[in-house]
Amino acid sequence: MSKDTALDAFCAFFNKLDKTCTGKLYNVYTEDVVFQDPLHRIEGIEALEGYFAALYTHVEECQFTFHHRQRLGDTAFVTWTMTLRHPRLAGGSSYAVQGCSQLIFAPKAANDQGGQAKVRCHRDYFDAGELLYERLPVLGGVIRHLKRRAGT
């Protein structure tokens, strides 16, 4: 744990996130949050709740290991490894994807009674092919072949 309680709370929340607790997103995000990853752009807490609820419907495991955390002012960066298991990806086996999140915290409201600062912008950076496309039965083989030919 770092000395940044808001960033620590965010990381702890994400490791508990599953389909049963998407309604608690308001604990870490503002109502007008903007969430973006290589596959989606979501605006607003209600839309984000729907997105995560759908995303976690069939996920059997999703755990984050957070590595480096750095914050300056209202902006933070966190590197992570996500371990994921989904019955339709990678033959149902667990696999890991590395990424980074940029978080922008909203200023705490003047009438806030000691609560944590909340995230108003969350952008994830990761290889979408590594997360999804390479794990699909037919398409995955094609993408892996192309990556080998390209030397990546």
Side-chain angles (χ1 to χ4, degrees):
M1 300 269 289
S2 68
K3 294 180 181 178
D4 187 330
T5 57
L7 189 52
D8 290 341
F10 176 86
C11 293
F13 176 81
F14 243 80
N15 263 332
K16 294 177 186 170
L17 185 61
D18 63 20
K19 61 186 167 196
T20 67
C21 65
T22 57
K24 296 181 181 178
L25 292 173
Y26 64 88
N27 289 335
V28 293
Y29 290 108
T30 61
E31 288 190 28
D32 62 344
V33 64
V34 175
F35 174 90
Q36 188 171 354
D37 66 22
L39 305 170
H40 301 91
R41 179 181 168 89
I42 312 293
E43 296 184 25
I45 192 74
E46 290 179 12
L48 186 60
E49 183 178 348
Y51 169 70
F52 278 128
L55 188 68
Y56 279 92
T57 298
H58 298 291
V59 169
E60 295 173 349
E61 172 191 1
C62 186
Q63 184 72 35
F64 288 85
T65 302
F66 294 100
H67 306 293
H68 302 287
R69 304 174 194 195
Q70 188 164 9
R71 182 171 173 182
L72 181 61
D74 63 355
T75 303
F77 289 91
V78 181
T79 60
W80 43 261
T81 302
M82 176 180 64
T83 303
L84 178 69
R85 188 173 70 236
H86 189 288
R88 295 186 196 153
L89 300 173
S93 299
S94 292
Y95 62 95
V97 176
Q98 293 189 15
C100 177
S101 296
Q102 176 188 20
L103 307 169
I104 300 175
F105 289 89
K108 290 173 63 169
N111 61 356
D112 189 2
Q113 300 297 319
Q116 298 294 329
K118 294 182 180 182
V119 175
R120 67 178 172 89
C121 291
H122 176 168
R123 183 157 186 180
D124 282 343
Y125 298 91
F126 58 84
D127 182 343
E130 183 181 17
L131 173 70
L132 180 62
Y133 306 126
E134 291 177 28
R135 310 301 173 178
L136 297 172
V138 176
L139 185 59
V142 172
I143 291 175
R144 287 188 299 274
H145 173 74
L146 291 172
K147 285 178 92 172
R148 279 193 301 273
R149 291 204 52 181
T152 60

